[in-house]
Amino acid sequence: YKDLKPGSGNIAAVGDVATMHFTGWLDDAGSKGKELYNTRRQGKPVAFVIGTDRVMQGWNEGVIGMRPGGKRLLRVPPSLGYGSRGVEDIIPPDARLIFIIDLIDVEKRRVH
């Protein structure tokens, strides 16, 4: 990953809820290929618990250490993305992916 803009506030860690906007592309020999998804175009950010299996491993690893307001470029190899299975009609098997993540908020989870 590469930080494009630092944020401020709470540092994202495993177990926290990360809320973010993102744009994802297929990696076309190191540059942005076909756009896969853009949450800003959908008008709604996504949120997930960091460290769960509900998202690709590349997101889990790529968001850790970010702060709200930060922007990060992720280059996700197939092993941290969708692997050899891909996603039907969207992401081919063994695809490398590129994401730009804008972290909006980090909610610290309280352990009871």
Side-chain angles (χ1 to χ4, degrees):
Y1 65 86
K2 178 181 172 187
D3 283 317
L4 304 176
K5 180 181 150 197
S8 61
N10 289 330
I11 295 174
V14 171
D16 295 343
V17 177
T19 301
M20 66 185 197
H21 271 297
F22 77 91
T23 306
W25 298 268
L26 290 175
D27 185 328
D28 186 5
S31 59
K32 295 172 187 167
K34 177 185 170 197
E35 185 175 297
L36 302 170
Y37 200 81
N38 182 329
T39 58
R40 290 193 192 284
R41 207 169 284 140
Q42 304 297 323
K44 188 172 182 220
V46 295
F48 69 98
V49 177
I50 301 169
T52 65
D53 61 3
R54 293 183 179 263
V55 297
M56 73 178 77
Q57 191 59 33
W59 274 14
N60 280 319
E61 292 183 18
V63 171
I64 291 172
M66 288 185 77
R67 296 175 188 263
K71 180 179 250 183
R72 186 174 275 179
L73 167 72
L74 302 182
R75 294 185 180 277
V76 179
S79 62
L80 296 177
Y82 293 99
S84 58
R85 71 183 192 280
V87 176
E88 188 178 345
D89 297 331
I90 300 170
I91 299 171
D94 299 315
R96 299 180 76 77
L97 306 171
I98 297 173
F99 293 95
I100 298 283
I101 292 188
D102 289 292
L103 190 62
I104 298 168
D105 188 41
V106 173
E107 180 186 329
K108 294 290 179 186
R109 297 278 299 258
R110 288 190 182 88
V111 179
H112 297 288

